[in-house]
Amino acid sequence: MLRATLKSLLARKLRLILSTLAVVLSVMFVSGSLVLTDTLGRTFDNVFSNIYSSTDVQVTAKSETANDASGNPAVALPMPAADVERVAGVAGVRKATGAVFVTGARVVGKNGKIVVSQSGQFGGSWNGEDETTKLIAGAAPSAADEVVINNGLAKQGKFAVGDAIDVIARSEARKTYKVAGIMQYTGNRDSMAGETTVLFTVATAQQAMLGETGVFNLIDVKGEAGVSDNQLRDNVKAALGPSYVVQTGEELSKESSEAIRGLLKYFNYFFLGFGAIALLVGVFLILNTFSIIVSQRTQELALLRAMGASRWQIIRSVLIEALLIGIVGSLFGFLVGMGLGALGASAFTSLAKMDSAGLGLPVAAIVTSFTIGILVTMISAVLPAIKAARVAPIAAMRDAAATDKPLTGITIAGGVVTAIGVGSLSWGLAGAGSATLLLVFGGVLLTLIGVALLAPLVSRPLVAGLGAVFSWSVPGKLGRRNSSRNPRRTAITAGAVMVGIAIITMISTIFSSLSTAIGDSVEKDLQADLIIYGQQTSDVPPIIQPDELKQIKALPQLQTVASVTYDVVSLNGKQDFVLAYDDVPAVIQVLKLHAVAGRIDHVDSGEFTTDEKTAKDRKYTVGSTIQVTFAKGMTKTLTLVGITNSTVNGNGVVVSNTDAQAGFSFPQPIQALVKAKDGVAIGDAKTAIEGVLKNNPEVSVQTKEELVGSSQQQFDVALVIVQVLLFIALGISVLGVINTLLLSVIERTRELGMLRAIGLRRRQTWSMVTIESVVITLFGTVLGLVVGAGLGAATVTALKSVIGFGAVTLPWGYMIAYIIGAVIVGAVAGLIPAIRAVRLNVLNAIAYE
């Protein structure tokens, strides 16, 4: 039986290749994502190990809003210089050095734009050369207007020693400095991870980055000989108390790496999600392939039964074929995924200007790839194997034609699975605590499977309707009838197309609805004519300088200018965003706010307001109190004095501008809402504001239409990325159409020969097979559009009150494009089967058994 199985498998090489390719594409996403995240994880491990390689112990002030003990980069809590002396006097300390080093030094390039770095834009104090830094050109900064920059920044911005360089610091507006020196890190690194670094004199760094002199945000501690880092840490911690974070270099490296790996985990989930979709589509292909093969091998299997083969041997024969395909497909899928993962890691590290850790072979990727690939193939082959075992020996003595079985069982199963899927999705969207995501994803998956099971029920009428478009010719009529001949086979083939199209349509519907909701909310709730803001490209928000805001408010073309700032705080022990307005009445006007309870016309220190929805969700009433610890360490109890109506643009907790100035990481305005005076053209008002902002490359001024357009553009970019990835899954479904039609052509060899013999020409044969392919692809596409639009509409409706969706907006443009694409893809998918059909020898085909 084993020898017969292997010969049968090798005798059908095209089927073997197509089935294996489905497994390859299914597994490649999984292995690629695991290899990518493993490589990036080890790369960041090396980066942080190098950064803290010369650190014995580091001291920082404890922040309640930091994400972990290593600190939130946007938070810079100052410590008085006296703390350095305290640390220096601790037992075991050889040297304690106060330093300034924090994100927030944005460099203006020679093109007038900010030098962008996703890895951070750091500013700090030059404390001399040490084990990690060395000057490679120029000298140390000795004057307040001199800086040292890292070589990565020098190359990116094309700066040289002696050049002028403009810097926007955390606490200062744009200011011109002179490049006194250029430095590198250990190992001749231009940067540690692609960041830009500007180092000032100590006093200048304190003022520019921390807002006051005589303070530092970290203390570097060197231990005496014979004192371990852990002992040194414990000594310093005991001396300073709980208000400080004291860590060894090893702890800092480990926590920083874990924080990055936490982000990579979600990155991994993203790609694994697409891998799951590809696997689901692959199941349809493999299931259909083996089902057709079993049907075509009825006489062969019957002869084996007649010769004494047991049912278990037949089942084992089919499963061995599946096992071999699964092993080979998993191997190549892992190798292709490993290559893609390595390519992605290389592109990332090259873009971030980091040294890659090199390609590794993570055990998890190997085990997962082979486990998934083999299991999916084996599971897909179980039902066809059982069907093969039921072939009676007597079938070998006659020309057994496949007969259609009643659809009652599969229809009932489809209805049950669909009902469970819809119920799970509804429960998840309604909010089910920690299980919400699982219920939503499970509900979508079960709904897709349920619809696929119900597809045979609707395949004949729907396929007949779609095929009617092509029935104006004899080949068209034959193609339509062939596509509806076997509802199960057509439904499974179209099901693979349906899954991909449904998910794309669902995501497109959600994005289109959200994009429309943004436009509607801006038009409805925002009374501002112009909005001043910038796109945030790092952990430092783009800032409108206070002097610039003052000049803008003085412009004669403007009636109202209201600025907004926000920050992360610890609110009742949990991280949360809070807002602050410099001119509350002006904000009330431009955001169309009104009081629902209490007063909202002004917010004094120690007070806050919130919107109606937030108050309801958190059970706030006028007079309720909250405890807020601000980024700079200030803790205050705030009292609710007013509740506003809920709008998309003005929701959340609003604290006083006084408290924001004292406690926010960046108390400067981050956004400004502007209303022009009556009779002033908005274009003229915009030009006047641009004149004030000409020296601030971080922010720009936009009309409401431009704001909506830029916001919607972000959704369009995200949607394109999702579509590109899902098209790979659709590629598997195309393979399914090709595979099904090829096997169908083989199955209908005698029929095709008879058609050719009675006058069907080669061109007509080509048209017949191509139309069959197009009809099947269109059937799957239409089914996917209906299901995807339904799932998307359900999601938008369920989340309407949570996220602020408006009415459901269907992506008609995309949907029409998908239908046109289905016709093209169907024609391409039918190309190979059509070639095979037209090349059949008529006499041999008629005599084919």
Side-chain angles (χ1 to χ4, degrees):
M1 282 299 296
L2 179 60
R3 190 179 298 113
T5 299
L6 294 175
K7 286 185 177 181
S8 173
L9 188 64
L10 295 174
R12 299 169 174 86
K13 295 182 178 62
L14 185 58
R15 180 200 76 195
L16 174 64
I17 292 171
L18 290 173
S19 300
T20 303
L21 190 56
V23 181
V24 170
L25 293 175
S26 301
V27 169
M28 132 182 124
F29 263 121
V30 177
S31 63
S33 62
L34 292 173
V35 168
L36 174 63
T37 52
D38 174 77
T39 304
L40 292 181
R42 289 184 293 103
T43 296
F44 279 105
D45 288 345
N46 292 344
V47 167
F48 291 119
S49 178
N50 289 325
I51 289 174
Y52 297 110
S53 60
S54 63
T55 301
D56 292 349
V57 167
Q58 187 181 94
V59 179
T60 56
K62 186 176 183 180
S63 170
E64 297 295 332
T65 63
N67 294 325
D68 51 51
S70 63
N72 182 340
V75 176
L77 296 185
M79 298 177 290
D83 284 344
V84 180
E85 299 302 321
R86 290 175 59 193
V87 173
V90 174
V93 174
R94 174 172 59 85
K95 182 181 179 182
T97 305
V100 176
F101 193 79
V102 65
T103 187
R106 289 89 74 201
V107 174
V108 182
K110 294 184 178 181
N111 59 357
K113 298 180 179 179
I114 295 292
V115 178
V116 177
S117 170
Q118 298 294 342
S119 302
Q121 299 159 310
F122 292 93
S125 56
W126 174 258
N127 294 93
E129 293 181 308
D130 54 26
E131 298 92 334
T132 58
T133 59
K134 64 176 181 178
L135 285 170
I136 60 170
S142 57
D145 63 346
E146 292 182 342
V147 296
V148 166
I149 62 174
N150 67 322
N151 200 34
L153 172 57
K155 289 181 177 179
Q156 187 176 355
K158 298 180 180 179
F159 294 111
V161 173
D163 284 356
I165 183 171
D166 284 4
V167 181
I168 302 173
R170 288 174 67 99
S171 302
E172 290 185 343
R174 180 172 176 173
K175 189 174 179 180
T176 303
Y177 295 86
K178 175 185 175 183
V179 178
I182 299 173
M183 63 89 172
Q184 278 186 335
Y185 296 97
T186 304
N188 297 322
R189 291 183 176 88
D190 293 334
S191 67
M192 283 295 186
E195 77 286 350
T196 63
T197 302
V198 180
L199 301 177
F200 311 84
T201 61
V202 172
T204 304
Q206 291 170 336
Q207 183 61 51
M209 302 305 298
L210 301 179
E212 55 183 316
T213 57
V215 293
F216 303 97
N217 74 295
L218 62 88
I219 302 172
D220 182 68
V221 185
K222 302 295 183 186
E224 294 179 348
V227 178
S228 69
D229 290 351
N230 289 341
Q231 183 61 53
L232 182 64
R233 174 202 61 200
D234 294 342
N235 291 349
V236 174
K237 187 181 293 186
L240 293 179
S243 297
Y244 295 81
V245 177
V246 185
Q247 294 174 288
T248 65
E250 183 179 351
E251 290 171 338
L252 286 165
S253 176
K254 182 180 179 181
E255 289 193 357
S256 299
S257 295
E258 288 177 350
I260 291 294
R261 285 184 178 273
L263 295 176
L264 291 177
K265 178 178 66 175
Y266 295 102
F267 191 64
N268 197 28
Y269 290 160
F270 177 76
F271 283 105
L272 288 177
F274 290 102
I277 296 169
L279 286 170
L280 180 61
V281 174
V283 167
F284 284 95
L285 193 160
I286 299 166
L287 175 63
N288 210 25
T289 299
F290 277 96
S291 297
I292 297 172
I293 290 168
V294 167
S295 297
Q296 292 177 350
R297 292 173 60 195
T298 298
Q299 288 184 324
E300 176 188 333
L301 294 171
L303 282 171
L304 290 173
R305 290 293 313 281
M307 294 169 61
S310 66
R311 290 189 173 184
W312 168 241
Q313 285 179 309
I314 298 296
I315 291 175
R316 188 171 60 187
S317 172
V318 177
L319 291 181
I320 287 174
E321 288 190 35
L323 176 62
L324 293 174
I325 290 173
I327 292 174
V328 174
S330 298
L331 174 61
F332 282 100
F334 171 74
L335 293 176
V336 173
M338 186 173 67
L340 291 176
L343 185 64
S346 176
F348 180 90
T349 53
S350 176
L351 186 65
K353 299 179 177 62
M354 299 166 59
D355 294 329
S356 175
L359 182 63
L361 292 177
V363 176
I366 299 173
V367 173
T368 304
S369 297
F370 279 88
T371 301
I372 289 176
I374 293 172
L375 279 178
V376 164
T377 312
M378 295 288 285
I379 292 172
S380 301
V382 167
L383 290 178
I386 294 173
K387 179 181 178 182
R390 291 175 177 171
V391 175
I394 195 66
M397 302 177 187
R398 58 186 174 85
D399 186 12
T403 57
D404 288 342
K405 293 183 179 180
L407 299 176
T408 306
I410 195 171
T411 300
I412 293 174
V416 171
V417 173
T418 302
I420 295 173
V422 171
S424 175
L425 179 64
S426 302
W427 190 12
L429 291 174
S434 58
T436 298
L437 286 178
L438 183 62
L439 288 169
V440 170
F441 291 141
V444 170
L445 177 62
L446 289 174
T447 301
L448 292 175
I449 294 174
V451 172
L453 292 173
L454 291 172
L457 185 66
V458 298
S459 65
R460 271 192 175 140
L462 189 55
V463 166
L466 293 171
V469 178
F470 306 98
S471 296
W472 49 269
S473 64
V474 171
K477 292 178 181 178
L478 291 173
R480 184 195 66 179
R481 291 175 180 175
N482 287 335
S483 58
S484 60
R485 175 185 296 184
N486 190 324
R488 290 173 183 265
R489 183 182 301 176
T490 299
I492 294 175
T493 306
V497 180
M498 181 269 293
V499 170
I501 293 294
I503 293 175
I504 290 179
T505 305
M506 174 183 173
I507 296 174
S508 300
T509 301
I510 294 172
F511 277 32
S512 296
S513 300
L514 187 56
S515 181
T516 301
I518 290 175
D520 291 345
S521 66
V522 169
E523 185 63 33
K524 176 184 175 183
D525 297 329
L526 189 61
Q527 295 301 299
D529 298 317
L530 299 166
I531 302 91
I532 305 171
Y533 80 111
Q535 292 291 340
Q536 187 164 340
T537 57
S538 68
D539 20 346
V540 179
I543 291 168
I544 307 168
Q545 297 298 332
D547 288 345
E548 293 170 341
L549 184 65
K550 186 176 181 180
Q551 294 178 51
I552 291 171
K553 287 187 173 185
L555 290 173
Q557 296 93 335
L558 308 182
Q559 173 183 314
T560 306
V561 180
S563 73
V564 181
T565 187
Y566 53 84
D567 201 5
V568 178
V569 301
S570 175
L571 196 159
N572 289 339
K574 295 181 180 179
Q575 284 192 9
D576 201 351
F577 274 99
V578 296
L579 304 164
Y581 307 137
D582 72 327
D583 187 340
V584 175
V587 171
I588 290 173
Q589 179 185 351
V590 295
L591 293 184
K592 295 181 68 175
L593 300 177
H594 62 264
V596 174
R599 61 169 171 83
I600 63 169
D601 58 336
H602 66 279
V603 184
D604 297 328
S605 179
E607 298 176 343
F608 78 99
T609 62
T610 191
D611 66 284
E612 190 174 15
K613 183 179 182 303
T614 301
K616 181 180 178 181
D617 292 343
R618 302 185 184 183
K619 296 181 174 57
Y620 292 160
T621 57
V622 174
S624 296
T625 60
I626 57 174
Q627 188 176 59
V628 177
T629 299
F630 293 89
K632 291 183 178 178
M634 177 181 72
T635 299
K636 293 192 72 169
T637 298
L638 307 182
T639 302
L640 180 62
V641 295
I643 299 174
T644 70
N645 56 305
S646 295
T647 68
V648 174
N649 302 294
N651 292 347
V653 171
V654 179
V655 302
S656 72
N657 193 50
T658 302
D659 289 338
Q661 294 298 315
F664 279 14
S665 301
F666 295 93
Q668 304 96 322
I670 294 173
Q671 185 184 82
L673 309 172
V674 180
K675 189 170 181 60
K677 285 183 178 179
D678 292 339
V680 175
I682 294 177
D684 294 339
K686 181 180 179 181
T687 300
I689 296 172
E690 288 174 337
V692 175
L693 298 173
K694 61 183 178 181
N695 290 322
N696 188 343
E698 286 195 294
V699 298
S700 61
V701 56
Q702 292 187 333
T703 64
K704 288 198 293 186
E705 292 75 17
E706 290 170 337
L707 174 65
V708 171
S710 61
S711 299
Q712 292 175 336
Q713 187 177 22
Q714 296 176 28
F715 290 112
D716 292 339
V717 171
L719 185 58
V720 167
I721 294 172
V722 171
Q723 287 177 327
V724 168
L725 292 171
L726 285 173
F727 281 154
I728 297 177
L730 285 174
I732 302 175
S733 64
V734 172
L735 288 177
V737 176
I738 296 172
N739 209 7
T740 299
L741 289 176
L742 273 174
L743 295 172
S744 180
V745 166
I746 295 171
E747 187 178 58
R748 303 193 327 250
T749 298
R750 179 184 293 179
E751 175 187 319
L752 290 170
M754 292 296 294
L755 288 171
R756 292 291 311 283
I758 62 175
L760 193 70
R761 289 171 292 186
R762 289 178 180 269
R763 187 178 61 185
Q764 291 176 310
T765 304
W766 181 296
S767 298
M768 178 185 70
V769 176
T770 301
I771 288 171
E772 183 178 352
S773 174
V774 170
V775 170
I776 292 174
T777 308
L778 269 176
F779 171 50
T781 301
V782 171
L783 199 60
L785 290 174
V786 173
V787 174
L791 290 173
T795 302
V796 170
T797 303
L799 298 180
K800 185 174 182 180
S801 61
V802 179
I803 299 180
F805 279 114
V808 175
T809 303
L810 294 178
W812 292 111
Y814 283 117
M815 294 170 75
I816 293 172
Y818 297 154
I819 292 176
I820 296 173
V823 175
I824 297 171
V825 167
V828 172
L831 187 63
I832 297 175
I835 291 173
R836 185 180 182 94
V838 299
R839 287 181 176 177
L840 287 174
N841 182 284
V842 176
L843 293 178
N844 291 339
I846 293 173
Y848 182 81
E849 291 291 341

